[in-house]
Amino acid sequence: MKEFITHVAINVKDMDATLKFYQDTLGFEKIFEISNPDTGAPWIVYIQVCAGQFLELFYGGEPKTAKDGDIGFTHLCFAVDDVKALAKDIADKGYSLEIPPCIGCDHNLQAWIRDPNGLRIELMQVSPESPHADFM
């Protein structure tokens, strides 16, 4: 599999209004949600743009109480075949991982790095147990 952008993550101010816009106005489909593993509270909503590509919508704080500074782009995610091999290659090229390969709340193997501009990038190896797997 060639690396491709799997999602763009955005903190949103008003989840209900955001979902209405992306579903009713643009015609995208809400496909699954992930709750905060510590509190069980709503945390992330996934909107499918096309096969294998999503908007990852984070509540920008407690639902409906986010400050403007909490809203907007958070990171870019690339799907990759082998996160551990890519992490080694990144290190061999002299770059540091912000977070080494680990299992995320969505059951995917992931690693994190920043580009030279400070942009957060998630590298994600989709697991068959992940809710993403059915939509890739």
Side-chain angles (χ1 to χ4, degrees), residues 33-136:
E33 298 181 42
I34 296 177
S35 297
N36 183 306
D38 297 325
T39 66
W43 186 32
I44 309 171
V45 176
Y46 286 84
I47 299 290
Q48 187 168 31
V49 176
C50 63
Q53 293 185 332
F54 313 92
L55 293 177
E56 185 178 64
L57 305 175
F58 283 85
Y59 288 90
E62 292 301 314
K64 302 198 185 245
T65 62
K67 301 181 296 277
D68 285 341
D70 295 334
I71 306 307
F73 178 83
T74 70
H75 68 271
L76 179 64
C77 177
F78 292 103
V80 300
D81 284 333
D82 188 337
V83 164
K84 290 179 181 179
L86 183 56
K88 182 184 179 320
D89 188 49
I90 288 168
D92 289 348
K93 291 179 179 173
Y95 294 97
S96 298
L97 289 171
E98 188 171 78
I99 299 174
C102 61
I103 301 293
C105 294
D106 55 7
H107 307 287
N108 292 317
L109 186 59
Q110 58 183 253
W112 294 79
I113 190 167
R114 289 190 185 260
D115 80 355
N117 303 293
L119 174 67
R120 292 180 70 223
I121 298 173
E122 177 183 3
L123 306 169
M124 181 176 78
Q125 181 178 328
V126 177
S127 162
E129 294 83 32
S130 166
H132 294 94
D134 291 336
F135 302 98
M136 300 302 281

